[in-house]
Amino acid sequence: MLIIGAMNSPKESLAGQISLFGEMGFDFVEITIEAPGATPEKIMAGKKEIHDALHSYNFGVLSHFPWYFSVAHPYPRVQKAIVEEFCLAFDAAAMLGAKKATVHTEFLPSGIQDRQVHIARTIETVKKLHKEASDRGLALLVENYSASSFSIKDFKLLFEEVDAGMTLDVGHASMDGGEGVEGYLEAFRKKIAHVHLHDNDRKADQHLPIGAGKIDMRNAIRRLKSFYDGTITLEVHSQDKDLLKFSKDKLEILWFGKKKFLENKEYALPK
Ligand SMILES: [Zn+2]
């Protein structure tokens, strides 16, 4: 079943955004546990309010971690500290009832260390994170960014060594240096356990509303739908939240067809 979620901005109140997504008819929230407003400490301190908001919309929870947390940092002591921060964030995610935890491949330019070292360090850190996440009942998913960060070939190596899943980010796969959505869909059918959807001009990572960029969404959804039927988070980072709601309608139309979309609306909002 297609399940559509939205992601909080760590700069705004988490409970407030959960209510907003609930009113818009989303099925779940992907909580990014991230500074400044959604650190593990702040989530722990506000847990009653967050749980109340989640319960009032019967929301499922997925978790997401800062894209700028290194997984292949050239300084081992810095990497160790980052893994500790990941663990605190995993604790907060488990407390919220999350089952999936999405982490990113390295954001630092791969050229600062030998490519082989960059890949080996990524695999080593993901192994550790996979163990820490599993111990807390979280399925670890690794999200694609660009080929220079971690390519399709590198992901294949990773999955040979670690039993982690993948979060396919359609926007990242489509941007300059992203290797294309088709390549990922071909290679990781069995590994894709969650999807991020947003649009861009096929150059920069813009997180635009669906239809506002140049990604062939119809084709991407058709290919995805041929084997995938699970959670999709609309990672639309527009100031105007109506564009998030618009993106949800767009996705449902692309997925179910216009006729079914309108029928579903009638069912959801009986006269
Ligand atoms: Zn993403």
Side-chain angles (χ1 to χ4, degrees), residues 2 21 25 27 49 95 101 157 182 192 225:
L2 172 65
F21 301 153
D27 304 308
E49 197 193 359
M95 184 277 291
L157 274 176
E182 272 103 349
I192 297 171
K225 212 185 134 177

Side-chain angles (χ1 to χ4, degrees), residues 40 65-66 68-71 79-92 102-104 125 129 132 136 140:
F65 302 87
Y68 52 84
F69 272 9
S70 274
V71 292
Q79 187 60 71
K80 188 166 173 275
I82 291 171
V83 168
E84 284 168 17
E85 285 295 332
F86 265 118
C87 289
L88 290 175
F90 288 163
D91 287 339
T102 293
V103 302
H104 299 70
T125 304
L129 296 178
E132 295 292 348
R136 293 163 174 86
L140 189 82

Side-chain angles (χ1 to χ4, degrees), residues 64 104 143 169 172 196 198 207 235:
H64 181 270
H104 299 70
E143 175 172 342
D169 190 303
H172 292 166
H196 282 171
H198 49 95
H207 290 262
E235 261 191 324

Side-chain angles (χ1 to χ4, degrees), residues 115 119 146-156 179 184 188:
R115 181 77 188 161
I119 294 164
S146 65
S148 70
S149 168
F150 212 66
S151 69
I152 288 177
K153 203 171 127 227
D154 303 332
F155 267 106
K156 285 182 180 166
E179 295 183 291
Y184 284 93
F188 304 117

